[in-house]
Amino acid sequence: MIRDTLAQLVRQAAIDAMAAGVLPDVPLPDVTLERPRQPEHGDYASNLAMRLVRATGGKPVEIAQKLRAHLPPSPVLGEATVAPPGFLNLRLSESWLAGQVDDILAQGTAFAGQPPANERVQIEFVSANPTGPLTVGNGRGAVIGSTLAAVMEACGRTVQREYYVNDAGTQIEVFTRTLYARYQQLFGREVEIPADGYPGEYMVDVAQTMRAAEGERWLRPPGEPAPEGFGELGIDIMVEGIRRDLVALGVTYDVWFRERSLYAGEGRYEQAMARLRERGYVAEKEGAVWFTSTDVGEDKDNVLVRSTGAPTYFASDIAYHYDKFIERGFDRVIDVWGADHHGHVSRLKAAVQALGGDPEMLTVLLYQLVTVRRGGEVVRLSKRAGEIILLRDLIDEVGADACRFFFLQRSADSTLDFDIDLAKTQSDKNPVFYVQYAHARICAILSRAAERGLTQDGGDVALLTHPAELALIRKMLVLPELLDQVSRTLEPHHLPYYAADLATAFHAFYHDVPVLSRSGKKVTVDVPASLSRARLKLVAATRVALARTLHLMGVSAPEQMARREDGDEDDE
RNA sequence: GCGCACGUAGCUCAGUGGAUAGAGCGCUACCCUGCGGAGGUAGAGGUCGCAGGUUCAAGUCCUGCCGUGCGUACCA
């Protein structure tokens, strides 16, 4: 990355200055460059002089000047200046910048990525209980998780995407009793769904699916419980529905991990509990089995096996993470959870530590709640599911692209207001539209040029010297750094902002700089073919960068937008 | 009570310890039919919740307080 190259130059300048006796020989801190807010301050700035001043003495500005004098020559580096209170500001060489257009085109869809690194990452996301359909909140987790997976892959990690299906435990019994009641109702029996059951209408749909497939096969005499296998089939139907909703959002998985599989035979559950016991973290008291998490710094102990003999959800989770860390041996594990689960983060990390894993390698990424607005009013109800809004309904109404873009737009730490009206707007007010339009416009320009027999072939990027051209190239070169940052901080919300920035830089360029000759009523612009070819290269490179950004977000990069009807200025 | 977050423009939100705190929407002007105007330019709008502290430098780190959300089960 260019930032590293420049940092190395600054570091070398310090070493050379010390060797020359111009600066006292002191230990050198890590040289990091930042991007100044003001463009006048250059492309990158180093605060090294200010960090050295305590050890070396002297004035920061003078130290910075010495660093500047010892910067090794480089084709990358343009101007270097010193600014108070001691910044060393660096500007990229314009000829090098122009040359990056060829570089971006050569990289193509691999642009801004990193070579493979030897790191295996597992990212588990959504993992909603299969007792109900996905909600908009689950959708946010799906988009955050899948986007992070894509970015980490682009940055060289080997990524496994996993969905943990909670198909064991008490909730499944409740689900089964509810479903069986619904099933019997379809055959005219006067049966009430359980008081603690799932009232949503989707349960009727599942029951109907089962009747449609196998008729009354599952019916037992009145008063008897559901037969063996009935609940499992119901769960399978639910999981399939969840899978389809996720596909509609552009999300697929490598592994669907069944909680039930932890308990098969002498499985992971037994192994994990045995390991905890060996290591001295299991105690019996009050008729239950406890994880003595206070021994690893927790506030309280937690129950593993209830006095009824049934394991808790927490025990399953321990076995599951035992499998991730100890058996499957991932270098890094990321769990994406809704913020309402944050109370479990600490004790799960404690469990990983107690098992002998490294809790630092487990990152639990929490995202805050989603509220949906329509006409400024908060939407609360779904007809089919009660007090939740279905992800499916949102996708059907605004489309997967808008869903993904909007879900990504906010930091996971912030609650998210999803404005349905804005997401459906076919205008520049809608950021998804604005960005996608930029891509479509690029495609239109390239094909228009081709119609005239002009292509980027043979274009000489050295002709790209206009400030708007260079600004656009600079914006494209942000992407590699951005992806690196997202992969390290796990904050994908920067991507939509960047996409909009890049689109703006393109529109500004296109507004200021003619790519093709044109003749209108008022103005005639003549662009030499050689210049057109060079600028078409820049346009094509912008397409590469913009499409890359959109694809990582899982948002489509359309070649054309549907034409808006003329004269249709009003909102519907 | 305790724990984890959040509090930045009218609204929704960005802001890796750096220089003059930004964007979109909304508002006010302008470019006037354009190589896709579904675009561009400019302006108004801020005690970064409050008070201390650390630092050459704090919206950013630390402490306390106020406000909001979530959690604090032998539920998942």
Side-chain angles (χ1 to χ4, degrees):
Chain A
M1 243 170 288
I2 188 57
R3 181 188 218 133
D4 302 330
T5 307
L6 288 174
Q8 192 56 38
L9 291 179
V10 174
R11 183 182 168 77
Q12 193 60 47
I15 291 170
D16 291 350
M18 287 176 187
V22 177
L23 275 181
D25 200 350
V26 298
L28 207 54
D30 278 345
V31 177
T32 56
L33 297 184
E34 62 197 48
R35 283 184 170 275
R37 271 201 274 255
Q38 267 69 36
E40 315 87 82
H41 296 149
D43 293 307
Y44 294 91
S46 168
N47 62 0
L48 182 60
M50 288 176 283
R51 298 180 62 192
L52 279 174
V53 73
R54 179 169 292 174
T56 60
K59 293 183 178 175
V61 169
E62 289 170 9
I63 297 169
Q65 277 160 349
K66 291 170 183 172
L67 291 174
R68 176 177 177 276
H70 283 84
L71 278 171
S74 163
V76 168
L77 192 57
E79 190 184 26
T81 55
V82 172
F87 289 106
L88 178 59
N89 292 332
L90 307 175
R91 200 174 291 277
L92 292 165
S93 132
E94 297 192 348
S95 61
W96 181 84
L97 273 174
Q100 290 307 292
V101 171
D102 277 331
D103 191 59
I104 292 167
L105 287 171
Q107 291 187 61
T109 54
F111 170 59
Q114 290 170 31
N118 192 22
E119 186 179 2
R120 292 176 63 235
V121 179
Q122 193 220 32
I123 175 160
E124 179 220 321
F125 53 103
V126 185
S127 300
N129 286 335
T131 52
L134 295 180
T135 67
V136 290
N138 298 137
R140 187 177 189 188
V143 172
I144 289 174
S146 58
T147 300
L148 279 178
V151 171
M152 293 190 91
E153 256 177 5
C155 290
R157 277 76 157 187
T158 302
V159 179
Q160 186 186 70
R161 299 155 172 85
E162 184 155 305
Y163 189 115
Y164 179 53
V165 182
N166 298 117
D167 61 349
T170 54
Q171 56 173 349
I172 299 302
E173 295 169 26
V174 176
F175 172 87
T176 302
R177 283 190 280 117
T178 306
L179 181 60
Y180 191 55
R182 290 299 197 192
Y183 183 73
Q184 292 180 87
Q185 286 172 359
L186 293 180
F187 294 93
R189 286 188 185 171
E190 299 280 331
V191 187
E192 295 292 318
I193 62 169
D196 59 347
Y198 298 94
E201 283 184 41
Y202 61 88
M203 292 296 274
V204 179
D205 298 346
V206 178
Q208 279 170 343
T209 300
M210 296 180 80
R211 184 179 66 172
E214 307 193 61
E216 58 178 35
R217 181 192 148 195
W218 299 102
L219 217 50
R220 290 294 175 274
E224 286 189 19
E228 200 64 24
F230 177 85
E232 285 77 355
L233 182 57
I235 291 294
D236 286 347
I237 291 169
M238 291 300 302
V239 170
E240 175 58 16
I242 286 169
R243 191 192 65 79
R244 277 200 213 118
D245 286 357
L246 289 167
V247 166
L249 195 58
V251 175
T252 56
Y253 286 90
D254 301 306
V255 177
W256 291 76
F257 191 100
R258 296 281 185 143
E259 179 182 4
R260 190 175 281 261
S261 72
L262 295 168
Y263 295 93
E266 290 292 305
R268 296 293 183 244
Y269 172 76
E270 296 296 340
Q271 292 167 11
M273 292 305 121
R275 189 169 174 114
L276 273 188
R277 201 170 291 116
E278 280 163 23
R279 297 172 65 91
Y281 292 109
V282 176
E284 291 198 30
K285 56 183 178 183
E286 300 162 24
V289 180
W290 296 70
F291 169 40
T292 57
S293 33
T294 45
D295 292 345
V296 281
E298 288 294 283
D299 290 341
K300 56 178 103 169
D301 292 342
N302 295 98
V303 173
L304 294 171
V305 184
R306 301 180 185 95
S307 48
T308 62
T312 60
Y313 171 85
F314 182 45
S316 282
D317 237 17
I318 292 175
Y320 180 42
H321 285 79
Y322 165 83
D323 184 69
K324 291 187 186 192
F325 275 97
I326 310 298
E327 295 296 334
R328 286 193 270 174
F330 286 105
D331 299 314
R332 181 146 189 217
V333 170
I334 300 168
D335 294 352
V336 181
W337 293 353
D340 53 337
H341 291 77
H342 73 75
H344 305 283
V345 175
S346 174
R347 69 182 195 184
L348 181 60
K349 286 199 169 219
V352 169
Q353 185 181 340
L355 285 166
D358 180 359
E360 291 297 306
M361 292 297 99
L362 170 65
T363 302
V364 180
L365 187 59
L366 299 171
Y367 60 89
Q368 298 291 325
L369 297 177
V370 176
T371 55
V372 178
R373 283 176 196 275
R374 187 196 300 278
E377 297 291 315
V378 175
V379 181
R380 298 189 181 283
L381 298 179
S382 160
K383 286 177 191 165
R384 300 189 62 257
E387 291 287 327
I388 55 174
I389 303 161
L390 296 184
L391 174 62
R392 189 72 201 206
D393 292 343
L394 191 66
I395 297 172
D396 288 346
E397 182 160 3
V398 307
D401 283 346
C403 275
R404 295 195 63 110
F405 198 99
F406 277 62
F407 278 142
L408 279 175
Q409 254 188 320
R410 301 284 175 255
S411 155
D413 287 336
S414 296
T415 55
L416 188 151
D417 261 19
F418 196 113
D419 185 339
I420 286 188
D421 299 324
L422 179 60
K424 289 167 71 177
T425 303
Q426 306 270 304
S427 84
D428 60 341
K429 291 177 190 172
N430 181 348
V432 193
F433 224 81
Y434 178 80
V435 172
Q436 289 186 320
Y437 168 68
H439 186 268
R441 196 179 193 190
I442 287 170
C443 294
I445 292 161
L446 292 174
S447 64
R448 172 68 59 91
E451 286 167 16
R452 297 196 198 170
L454 267 178
T455 70
Q456 65 194 57
D457 293 345
D460 179 4
V461 294
L463 299 174
L464 301 174
T465 57
H466 190 283
E469 292 171 333
L470 297 172
L472 179 54
I473 298 169
R474 283 188 163 97
K475 189 59 76 177
M476 288 192 263
L477 294 182
V478 169
L479 187 57
E481 287 172 25
L482 182 75
L483 297 187
D484 184 61
Q485 182 193 348
V486 169
S487 71
R488 283 184 292 103
T489 63
L490 308 181
E491 293 177 345
H493 68 277
H494 297 292
L495 289 168
Y497 284 94
Y498 173 75
D501 270 1
L502 182 58
T504 295
F506 174 75
H507 287 310
F509 151 76
Y510 196 62
H511 183 265
D512 291 349
V513 181
V515 174
L516 303 175
S517 299
R518 65 166 187 268
S519 55
K521 290 174 187 169
K522 284 197 163 181
V523 285
T524 296
V525 178
D526 191 39
V527 184
S530 59
L531 199 51
S532 279
R533 290 185 197 280
R535 288 175 178 164
L536 285 168
K537 266 194 171 174
L538 177 57
V539 172
T542 306
R543 181 185 179 179
V544 167
L546 193 53
R548 174 74 144 151
T549 308
L550 286 169
H551 287 147
L552 286 171
M553 289 193 287
V555 176
S556 65
E559 297 197 3
Q560 54 189 350
M561 312 293 281
R563 279 276 183 186
R564 186 164 62 178
E565 299 299 319
D566 286 340
D568 185 15
E569 300 286 340
D570 299 319
D571 291 334
E572 50 191 274

